[in-house]
Amino acid sequence: MAMAITALLVLLVAAPAVQAVDHIVGDSLGWTQGFDYSTWAAAQTFTVGDNLVFNYDSSHQVSEVSSTDYTSCSSSNSIKTYNDGNTKIALNKAGSLYFICPALGHCGGGMKVSVNVVAAASSDTPSPGSSTPTTPGTTTPSTTPGTTTSSPSTPSTVPAHSGAIGVFGHMNVWLMGVLGTIVVAFMV
């Protein structure tokens, strides 16, 4: 029994604490006309490592565009266009990304979404009582034409984590404590 608990404990330590999130654009409706994508995006936290998933039929496409082309609903200079009906886009850097449906009139009718991707939370946590200030990591500026970036500022407090790290990180800490108590109980 003690060997089984030890094996479970080793597996929990090796398991990652943060999982990537697949953000399904438009939720159950998908990428279609008549949906408020601005409100949807405002309710999400997009983190480096997450994915955007666009589900759509053959009357739609997804074009990644610059900020200027997003505002004017122009796909003539699109960065990349997808038309497979089930597009999964990895969010691999912090910054703003812009997507529109290039079909005539769709973007003008609201079929566009902009997302702000934030850097993944660091697993480096300063020890309590540490008086040495930490320097925030540098960010890589976006290479998307027409976007602007701002310099990172030093936060006065520790930023709130996304739901994924909060739930999974705390769950792992709790499970480690419970399993540690069980192992100690069996050893006595």
Side-chain angles (χ1 to χ4, degrees), residues 12-109:
L12 284 174
V13 171
V18 179
Q19 302 292 322
V21 175
D22 283 353
H23 298 276
I24 300 173
V25 178
D27 296 323
S28 62
L29 293 176
W31 185 236
T32 190
Q33 292 179 294
F35 187 86
D36 185 354
Y37 293 102
S38 296
T39 300
W40 174 84
Q44 309 290 317
T45 300
F46 303 99
T47 306
V48 171
D50 289 353
N51 299 297
L52 279 181
V53 179
F54 291 85
N55 296 313
Y56 51 97
D57 64 32
S58 61
S59 66
H60 303 296
Q61 295 179 348
V62 178
S63 288
E64 182 179 352
V65 295
S66 68
S67 173
T68 302
D69 288 342
Y70 175 83
T71 302
S72 65
C73 284
S74 172
S75 63
S76 60
N77 296 314
S78 65
I79 297 165
K80 187 157 188 180
T81 297
Y82 307 88
N83 60 7
D84 61 0
N86 186 15
T87 302
K88 189 173 195 174
I89 299 171
L91 304 176
N92 54 19
K93 64 181 177 180
S96 296
L97 296 172
Y98 305 92
F99 302 93
I100 65 171
C101 179
L104 185 61
H106 291 197
C107 177

Side-chain angles (χ1 to χ4, degrees), residues 133-156:
T134 58
T135 304
T138 58
T139 57
T140 305
S142 172
T143 57
T144 305
T147 61
T148 59
T149 58
S150 60
S151 300
S153 61
T154 304
S156 59

Side-chain angles (χ1 to χ4, degrees), residues 110-182:
M111 202 169 166
K112 62 184 188 175
V113 64
S114 67
V115 299
N116 182 36
V117 182
V118 297
S122 172
S123 62
D124 298 333
T125 307
S127 59
S130 172
S131 61
T132 307
T134 58
T135 304
T138 58
T139 57
T140 305
S142 172
T143 57
T144 305
T147 61
T148 59
T149 58
S150 60
S151 300
S153 61
T154 304
S156 59
T157 60
V158 176
H161 295 293
S162 72
I165 192 156
V167 171
F168 293 110
H170 293 294
M171 184 174 66
N172 277 353
V173 169
W174 178 80
L175 283 173
M176 295 299 292
V178 169
L179 288 174
T181 302
I182 291 170

